[in-house]
Every structure is written in structure tokens, then in C-alpha cells.
């Protein structure tokens, strides 16, 4: 008899001044691609138990804090203007570093790459970020890393990084295809009415 696998926990970090589509795009992909909740349990996580004010003054209540969230199988670090503050937040970078030891996949969208750089997780990897933040990533990234400017997303195995904003949707669809096959990802994109280029 086939073993029933628990849904993978997909944790999406949110913080003040996070770019809205950086986290809602992947959220939508993993919810839509979850096979009605059987394959992914998606939730937001923040440092504090209070509303997060995203760009544009969108207020979001995080589902969990970093202190009480279920153990993530997939952790997504979005970007936005707030990433410049969070990359200096040692509580957050330490938490990401610790959680990264046990996750199956660690994903970043846009300038979430800056936070991963400050968490010391990008040695020897190929990196990308929002085209407008390439210089910032050059400053933050280790010398052993290689920055690829024109990639939509880059798969380093456990760590996958995407370019800015809507590129997080493409990366997330790619991850769905990596875990469950291209047909699942194409079906997810179709349900979202999203023009995904495989």
C-alpha cells in the first residue's frame, strides 16, 4: 500500500515593507499547486506577532512567528525595500541559517537574496536578484558566488533564487515541476491563468 505523505510545510517569511507580489505570488502558486492541500501547507511567518505592513500599506497578519511556526520543508525569503533592514536583523538571519539546515528547499525572491547573503548561505553558488539590485547583491555576496544578471531563476540544488517580483511565480512553478512533474506545474499555471514559459 502506498504511503501517504504529509503535506510539505511551505513557510513564507514576511516583514515590514516586503514587496507584495514577492510573497503573494509564491503563496498563490503553492496553494494552487497543492492538490487541494494534500501536498503543500502554506503559511506566513514573521519575527513578531503583529500585523506586517507591506509596501503600499497593505496590512497582513502573519500566521506564525519564527518562534512557534511548524518546521518548514520549504522556506521562501521575499524581498522589497524592507529586505535592506532585515538583512541587518541578526535575529532573522540567525533563524534562517538554523532553519536552512533542515529544509528541503530554500528559495529567495528578488532582494531576499540580500538576506540570504547576510545569513552566510550563498558561498560558491550562482545568484540572481532584481535587475535593479545587482550592485547591492555584488556588495553583499561572498566572493565565491557568481552573479547571473539575466536569469529568471537559478537552481543550485537546495537553494533556488529568482529575479524580481513576478519572477518568484516562475520560480515557484518550477519548484512544483521539480517536486511533482511538469504537468502539475502546467496545470497550476493554467488554473492561475498565468502564462508560464517552461
Amino acid at each position: 500500500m502506498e504511503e501517504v505523505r504529509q503535506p510539505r510545510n511551505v513557510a513564507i517569511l514576511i516583514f515590514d515593507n516586503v514587496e507584495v507580489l514577492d510573497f503573494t505570488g509564491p503563496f498563490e502558486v503553492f496553494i494552487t499547486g497543492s492538490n487541494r492541500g494534500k501536498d503543500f501547507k502554506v503559511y506566513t511567518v514573521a519575527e513578531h506577532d503583529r500585523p506586517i505592513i507591506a509596501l503600499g500599506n497593505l496590512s497582513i497578519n502573519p500566521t506564525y512567528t519564527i518562534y512557534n511556526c511548524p518546521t518548514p520543508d520549504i522556506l521562501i525569503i521575499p524581498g522589497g525595500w524592507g529586505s535592506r533592514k532585515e538583512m541587518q536583523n541578526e535575529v532573522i538571519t540567525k533563524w534562517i541559517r538554523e532553519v536552512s539546515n533542515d529544509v528541503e528547499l530554500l528559495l529567495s525572491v528578488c532582494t531576499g537574496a540580500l538576506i540570504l547573503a547576510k545569513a552566510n548561505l550563498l558561498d560558491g553558488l550562482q545568484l540572481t536578484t532584481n535587475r535593479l539590485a545587482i550592485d547591492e547583491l555584488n556588495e553583499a555576496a561572498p566572493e565565491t558566488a557568481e552573479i547571473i544578471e539575466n536569469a529568471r531563476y537559478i537552481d543550485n540544488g537546495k537553494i533556488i533564487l529568482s529575479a524580481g517580483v513576478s519572477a518568484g511565480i516562475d520560480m515557484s512553478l518550477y519548484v512544483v515541476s521539480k517536486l511533482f512533474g511538469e504537468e502539475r506545474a502546467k496545470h497550476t499555471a493554467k488554473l492561475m491563468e498565468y502564462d508560464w514559459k517552461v
Side-chain angles (χ1 to χ4, degrees):
M1 193 170 160
E2 189 180 327
E3 184 183 338
V4 178
R5 180 184 159 78
Q6 289 291 104
R8 286 175 169 88
N9 287 331
V10 181
I12 304 178
L13 181 70
I14 56 174
F15 43 82
D16 287 334
N17 285 315
V18 64
E19 172 64 52
V20 175
L21 198 58
D22 277 14
F23 78 90
T24 55
F27 196 104
E28 180 70 32
V29 170
F30 285 105
I31 287 291
T32 305
S34 72
N35 189 20
R36 298 178 187 259
K38 293 188 184 83
D39 296 323
F40 299 117
K41 177 187 174 191
V42 190
Y43 52 87
T44 53
V45 58
E47 182 180 359
H48 303 290
D49 184 16
R50 61 164 175 78
I52 294 297
I53 308 302
L55 286 174
N57 289 319
L58 176 67
S59 180
I60 312 110
N61 293 313
T63 313
Y64 299 103
T65 71
I66 60 174
Y67 305 104
N68 67 9
C69 75
T71 304
D73 298 298
I74 299 172
L75 176 60
I76 303 173
I77 311 299
W81 287 111
S83 62
R84 279 74 169 185
K85 180 180 176 190
E86 297 308 319
M87 68 189 280
Q88 307 300 338
N89 182 342
E90 290 185 10
V91 173
I92 287 294
T93 55
K94 181 173 181 263
W95 178 76
I96 293 170
R97 197 163 44 250
E98 288 171 355
V99 169
S100 74
N101 291 321
D102 300 316
V103 297
E104 182 179 359
L105 294 171
L106 177 60
L107 315 178
S108 80
V109 182
C110 194
T111 52
L114 299 175
I115 300 174
L116 293 188
K118 284 294 186 173
N120 297 317
L121 293 170
L122 302 181
D123 279 345
L125 302 185
Q126 289 189 325
L127 316 179
T128 197
T129 188
N130 189 306
R131 308 286 182 270
L132 302 176
I134 291 290
D135 289 344
E136 288 176 88
L137 185 57
N138 262 316
E139 284 181 31
E143 288 183 9
T144 56
E146 178 189 3
I147 295 175
I148 312 292
E149 292 192 33
N150 295 315
R152 195 84 173 138
Y153 52 83
I154 294 175
D155 185 351
N156 290 284
K158 183 174 181 173
I159 298 179
I160 304 174
L161 302 95
S162 79
V165 198
S166 65
I169 297 173
D170 296 301
M171 174 186 67
S172 299
L173 287 165
Y174 168 74
V175 169
V176 170
S177 76
K178 183 174 167 132
L179 297 175
F180 293 104
E182 196 173 291
E183 285 310 308
R184 170 77 70 89
K186 284 180 175 175
H187 182 64
T188 301
K190 185 177 180 183
L191 288 172
M192 291 172 60
E193 297 200 25
Y194 184 74
D195 186 18
W196 183 47
K197 308 280 193 295
V198 180

